[in-house]
Structures are given as structure tokens and as C-alpha cells.
Amino acid sequence: MNDNLQPSNTIPLSVLDLAPIVEGSDAGQSFQNSVELARYAEKLGYKRFWLAEHHNMTGIASSATSVVIGHIAGATTTIRVGSGGIMLPNHAPLIIAEQFGTLETLYPGRIDLGLGRAPGSDQLTAAALRRDRNSGGEHFPQQLAELRSYFHPDGTTKVRAVPGEGLNIPIWLLGSSGFSAKLSAELGLPFAFASHFAPDYTLPALELYRSRFKPSDALNQPYAMIGVNVIAAESDEEAEFLATSLQQQFLNLIRGNPGKMNAPVEDINTLWSPYEQQIVQQQLRYTVTGSGESVRNKLMKILEETQADEIIVNTSVYDHQARLRSFEILAEVWNK
């Protein structure tokens, strides 16, 4: 039983870092910023620091996710570091078992393995990533079973993950629909839902997960984490201004033109049409902005609605110091 995943009276906060690359900067600076953020989050009491696998995205530097996880874990001492997530269909399960076995061996008791079944990219890039054209998301349950067998073999396989075999690395399933909710429930694994970009499916997926959950060696009861975009500042007005960078990110995505993170703008309404505004605001429904108390009150309403056991926070802010300050303000109001 994993005591790290038992519900507590205090809802933990964690960090989701996309290692953003902002206009005028590069991946090297992004990694420096991620290290500084991870160290600060550790100091502030955040529970986990997860990095996400994306490819062919000029504004995201965490494509080699396992490598960046090792970099962050080596720069910190206590915070759990992991993937939010590794897109398993992009990889041979043995490779992931070896990579995370290595990470867990180097940083024992601090590594999380969050898994998703989406490509984390466009279809052309997915094809470039996968040598086997039959390794898509529909085969995810079989890929997951193979991966788990390397950590805990039944003695019949001749292929062994070294390091990896025998290690107790927490496996999470990530999702933005009901597929992973059902699978994580069936297997008794912790579940993380991408509410920060798929809000409409949040409550149905959580209900599906909880209603179908079967106790396992990992968990005796459901444990659900939700993603929330949080931008906190000294005032509601400043937070709304900072949030226009996140809004521009999603606007560029729906236009099919993703890129580096743009600086905030004074009037976002000059950039989008009413139809685009409606789409972006709907996708960002699980986004809270404002001063400390405003953010805390909005987050409490989301918790009341979802009954989540943990919140993982994505803060897409152009200015690095303002991003650090956002996490600081949130920690201050959350822990008081």
C-alpha cells in the first residue's frame, strides 16, 4: 500500500511544469527556470513537480521528459519528481521501465511515473516517433501491462529491466476522457485528470473512476488529482493581465499555430473573435486568477465540485519572477 497516496485532511498542491519557452528566450533558459521553480516549490511545501511530454512544440522544452526529470531531481532534495506524463505509445515499455528504474535508483522514494495514451503531438510527429505503426493509444492497456511486468515480473520472462525490476515506482494514469478513468479504476491505480484543458469531462471521468474503483496493492481507495491553471498576483487586475499569455497560448492552439509563449497584452479582445473567445474560455474553465484570497476561494469551489484528493497547478506566466510569485502567493493562502 502506498502511504504517499492516502487522502489527508489537507489537500496537497503540486506543480505541473511544461518547461515553457517564451518569446525572446530558448530551451536552455527554460531549463534554468524549471530548476529554480522546482527548488522554490520544494521550499514552499508543494508535494510533486511533474513534467509533461510534448513534441514538435517550439514553446515546450520537456520533450525528453525522463532526462529533464533527472535534471530536476538532481537539483532538489525532497520534492517528488515525475511525469505528467510519459506518452507510453511513443515508447517501448522496456525503455520506460529502464529509464524510470534508473531515476528511482538515483533518487529513491522520489519518482512518480504518470502515463498517458495520447501522442503529445500532432499525427505527423506521432508517426515520426513510432517505428511500429500499430503502437497507438488503442493498445495502451497491453503496453501498460508489459511495462508493469518489468517492475514486478512473474518469473516467466527472459527480458529484464535493469535497473527497474523489483522497484516500487508509483504509476498514475492520466486522462482527458473516460478511457484512463475506467482503466485506472480497474487496476486500482491513482488517476490524474487534465481539467486544466478538458473541463467538460472532469466530473464524468471522476465519477467513472470512483464508482468502478477496485482496491489493489497500490491503493485501497480511489485517489484523484485534478489539473488547474492558477495565476495569482498582488491584485485581481494584475493576475488578469498575466493570464493573457495563457489565453494567447490556447488561441494559437485552436488556430493551429502553436509557438513560444507570448508576452501579456493589455486588451486580449483585440486578438480574438467572439467565437474564438468562447472556445478559449470554455477550455480554460478550470482556470483561477486573482489575488491570493480570490484564488483560494475559487480553488475551494473547484474542490467542492470535484472532491479531488490533490491539485496539480499549471501556471503559464511569461515573466519568470511573476510565475515564482504566483506559486508563492498560492502557497501562502493555501497553508494558512
Side-chain angles (χ1 to χ4, degrees), residues 4 19 35 46 56 102 109 115 119 128 132 134 141 164 169 174 196 199 205 212 220 222 259:
N4 182 55
V35 166
Y46 286 84
N56 195 29
T102 300
L115 299 168
D132 180 1
N134 296 316
I169 303 171
L174 281 56
H196 58 298
R212 298 197 181 191
N220 60 15

Side-chain angles (χ1 to χ4, degrees), residues 2-16 37-38 40-50 72 76-82 109-112 170 172 190 219 223-225 309-313 327 331 334-335:
N2 193 331
D3 292 335
N4 182 55
L5 296 179
Q6 299 312 307
S8 66
N9 293 328
T10 303
I11 302 297
L13 295 177
S14 294
V15 178
L16 175 62
L37 175 59
Y40 200 46
E42 181 175 76
K43 178 182 176 181
L44 293 170
Y46 286 84
K47 188 170 186 176
R48 313 174 200 281
F49 192 95
W50 281 7
I72 297 297
T76 53
T77 57
T78 58
I79 196 169
R80 298 192 65 86
V81 187
R110 293 183 55 210
I111 301 299
D112 293 327
W172 294 67
L219 286 176
Y223 192 96
M225 175 195 285
D309 300 295
E310 188 169 338
I311 296 174
I312 190 162
V313 174
F327 280 104
W334 196 253
N335 296 322

Side-chain angles (χ1 to χ4, degrees), residues 176-177 191 193-208 210 225-227 285-286 302 305-306:
S176 57
S177 66
F191 176 55
F193 191 81
S195 327
H196 58 298
F197 67 79
D200 290 347
Y201 299 101
T202 301
L203 297 183
L206 292 177
E207 170 59 26
L208 196 59
R210 290 167 177 144
M225 175 195 285
I226 59 168
R285 189 162 64 84
Y286 275 47
I302 290 175
E305 180 180 64
T306 62

